[in-house]
Amino acid sequence: MTDELHCPDPSEVADFSKKMTLQEKLDFIDGEIRKIHIFCTKSGYSASQIEHLAKPFFDKDTNSISSTIWVSGKAWKRRAVALTTMIVATLFLFRYDPAYRLASALSKQGAIQILPLWDWTQLYHSPCWVNNPLYVVTGLQLSDCEICEAVDRVSKVSQVNGRQLMDEFIKRDVPVIVTDGLKDWPLAKNMTILKLAETYRGNTALNQHDSCGFSSSVKNGDHMKVLSLARVNKLDKFYAHWKNCNFEAAKAFRKLYQRPYFLPSSVSLLPTSWVSISANYSSRLYKPVDMTWDLLLFMQVKGKSRVKLQPWEPCTEVCSSFEEFLHEGEILVTTSFMWKLDYKPSKQAENIAVVVAGLFD
């Protein structure tokens, strides 16, 4: 072995490397490293100097793209695991009532402290977080209040035909009560809460599908629980309100009533229906009626209800509000464009009301 370090031709090394096995390659590299170490020692370098000069061979290549990707990949995985753990822990704590109450109290205190710097109450009461500059308001305008400005009462009519109802009331957005609205409904004349409960019990479509918008003085239940308790006389003073939102259930319930004789052919009734029942219940609060659709028919099947009609904003200061008693057999007809409808059942032995919606063809 000479004292000079011989550097072979790269092409020769490449050809030679192709003919070597893996173990021969490792032995070759080990031999070359030993030669370099011996060369450095004979050249007068100390052990610490050799270690310092060899340090780049043993450090990680931080400039390598593949190395960076691998390191960042592992870091991403660690962050993902940590984030998932934090989310699961947070959800678990929020299901734990004391922790949920503490978090709610702290968030409320924090929100109160922020108020002097930022009035978030405007955002809280706003339907949109960010206003759309392209949005055009198509709802009720102040100029529309002229429609209801001259309405001073809710008219009561009977033996009315569809054309008259459409021209005098519906097209003008004027509410009206049809006093003989249920005259051709044989099922409505003898309907009771017990019969209604038996109908729901005996119909698969009605008793197997959940209702929507359920509200009742009977807590921790649904419409089937209320009807079941009423059927065995375990309820004395109560009210319940729900929507037959399932198509099959709504279709089955539709058999209990029929299209009112006075309704014009240009109005299509939706299969969806709302049901309100009560017994000996003195209500002080009005219950809201869903005003999503063009036309609402509040049908008083049994007993009586107190209904309240209020104009929507901005017509509250221009138009009058009305409160009327709706008696058995009467139907209140109103559009949703101008009026908001609420009701409360009267304190009678039994009250049954059905609300159906209509669309203009």
Side-chain angles (χ1 to χ4, degrees), residues 117-138:
L117 303 175
W118 176 46
D119 186 10
W120 50 263
T121 57
Q122 296 181 359
L123 184 64
Y124 179 81
H125 293 290
S126 174
C128 299
W129 280 51
V130 179
N131 291 324
N132 184 356
L134 302 178
Y135 176 70
V136 178
V137 178
T138 58

Side-chain angles (χ1 to χ4, degrees), residues 101-118:
R101 291 178 179 272
L102 177 61
S104 298
L106 291 177
S107 61
K108 289 179 181 178
Q109 289 293 332
I112 293 172
Q113 297 298 325
I114 293 173
L115 269 176
L117 303 175
W118 176 46

